[in-house]
Amino acid sequence: MSTVTQALADGAVVAKRNLIKIKRVPDLLLFSTLQPIMFVLLFAYVFGGSIDIPGMDYREFLMAGIFAQTVVFGATITGSGLADDMQKGVIDRFRSLPMARSAVLIGRTTSDLLNNVIVVVVMSLTGLVVGWRVHTSFLEALAGFALLLLFAYALSWGMAIVGLMVRSPEVFNNASFVVIFPLTFIANTFVQESRLPGVLKTFAEWNPVSAVTAAARELFGNTNPALPPADVWPMRHPVLTTLIWVVVFLAVFVPLATRQYRKAVSR
C-alpha cells in the first residue's frame, strides 16, 4: 500500500472515531446546529425589517451570509477538537499506533466537514421556512453549497495549526474568536459591503468571507441584477476569488499544520 493510500485509509479511521464521538455526545451536534438556526430567525424576524436591500427581500440576501458564517465557525471545531485531544493525551495514543502521522489531521478535518454538511442541511430547511428560495438550477445550487463547504474545509487546516499550538480548547476558543468574529461580521454577510464606512468597506471587499458569501448568492440566484457591478475585482468575480482563496489556504495551511503536528507530538 502506498504512503498516500495508507494516510487516507488511516484518516478514514480517525474520521470515523470523531463521528462516533458526536453520536455518543449528541450535544456537540445539537448546539452547533441550534446557533445558526437562532441567527437565521434573529436576523430574519428581528433585524430584517430594519435592513433594506434594494430590489430584493432581505431574507434571501441574508441566507448566503448565514451559510458562510456558519461554515467558518464550523471550521473552528477542527482546532478545538485537536486542542482537546492534545490535552487528554489522545494524540499520544495515536502516536503509539502504526498509522500515518497525517492521518490525524486528515481524519479531523474530514469529520468536521461532514459535521458542516449536516448543519448546512438543517440551515437550508430553516431558510426555506422563513422565505429563502433558490432561483437558479439544481447544479448551480449544488455548486454553491460545495463552494461553501470547500472553503470551510480549507480554513479548517488553518484552525488545526492554532489548535495544535495552544494547550487547551478554552484557549483555542478565545484565540479563534478574535480572528473569526471580525472576519464574519466585517463582511457582506449581513449588510452590503458598500454601506460600510472607509477602511471597513475596503476590508470587507477583500475579505475572503465576503468572496464566498457573494459567490453563494450568485450561485443561489439571490442577487439583484439591476444593481451596478462591484468596484473591486473580488466582488466582480466572487466564485473565482473563492477558489483562489481555497487553493492558497490549502497550499499554506496543509504543510504548516503537518509541521506543527510533528512538533506537537514530539514535545
Side-chain angles (χ1 to χ4, degrees):
M1 185 181 295
S2 68
T3 303
V4 175
T5 305
Q6 181 67 47
L8 293 176
D10 292 341
V13 174
V14 176
K16 182 179 179 181
R17 171 257 179 189
N18 293 332
L19 293 173
I20 291 174
K21 181 180 178 180
I22 293 176
K23 181 180 178 181
R24 291 176 178 172
V25 190
D27 294 354
L28 295 173
L29 182 61
L30 176 64
F31 286 107
S32 64
T33 305
L34 281 178
Q35 180 180 341
I37 291 176
M38 290 175 60
F39 266 107
V40 172
L41 298 178
L42 180 67
F43 276 87
Y45 291 112
V46 178
F47 300 121
S50 60
I51 301 177
D52 178 53
I53 304 296
M56 65 183 299
D57 184 83
Y58 179 70
R59 294 173 188 176
E60 293 201 345
F61 176 88
L62 168 71
M63 283 307 300
I66 293 288
F67 280 132
Q69 183 194 57
T70 300
V71 298
V72 169
F73 274 102
T76 63
I77 296 175
T78 298
S80 180
L82 287 171
D84 187 54
D85 286 344
M86 290 287 294
Q87 186 182 54
K88 294 179 178 177
V90 176
I91 299 295
D92 291 331
R93 291 197 288 273
F94 282 145
R95 185 176 54 174
S96 66
L97 298 174
M99 61 188 299
R101 288 191 173 186
S102 58
V104 174
L105 296 177
I106 293 173
R108 181 80 251 181
T109 53
T110 302
S111 63
D112 294 337
L113 174 64
L114 295 175
N115 180 74
N116 254 337
V117 170
I118 297 172
V119 173
V120 166
V121 170
V122 174
M123 281 187 58
S124 300
L125 297 176
T126 307
L128 292 174
V129 170
V130 302
W132 172 65
R133 295 294 182 269
V134 175
H135 301 291
T136 51
S137 67
F138 172 78
L139 290 179
E140 287 175 303
L142 192 63
F145 287 119
L147 200 61
L148 286 162
L149 294 169
L150 183 62
F151 181 85
Y153 178 76
L155 188 61
S156 68
W157 283 90
M159 295 295 105
I161 299 172
V162 182
L164 291 168
M165 293 175 64
V166 300
R167 294 289 182 177
S168 70
E170 292 79 14
V171 175
F172 171 82
N173 290 334
N174 291 332
S176 62
F177 184 80
V178 173
V179 177
I180 296 300
F181 190 83
L183 276 178
T184 54
F185 279 92
I186 308 177
N188 60 0
T189 44
F190 303 114
V191 297
Q192 293 172 300
E193 69 277 359
S194 58
R195 295 189 173 186
L196 296 174
V199 176
L200 296 183
K201 176 178 180 291
T202 302
F203 180 88
E205 289 172 336
W206 291 90
N207 186 344
V209 176
S210 290
V212 70
T213 302
R217 287 193 181 112
E218 183 177 296
L219 291 169
F220 295 150
N222 298 146
T223 58
N224 182 5
L227 291 176
D231 297 330
V232 295
W233 192 90
M235 295 296 97
R236 289 200 301 268
H237 310 280
V239 175
L240 180 57
T241 301
T242 302
L243 290 174
I244 292 173
W245 276 115
V246 167
V247 171
V248 170
F249 284 167
L250 290 174
V252 174
F253 293 152
V254 170
L256 288 179
T258 304
R259 180 182 178 185
Q260 185 60 39
Y261 177 76
R262 290 172 180 168
K263 289 176 62 176
V265 298
S266 62
R267 289 173 184 168

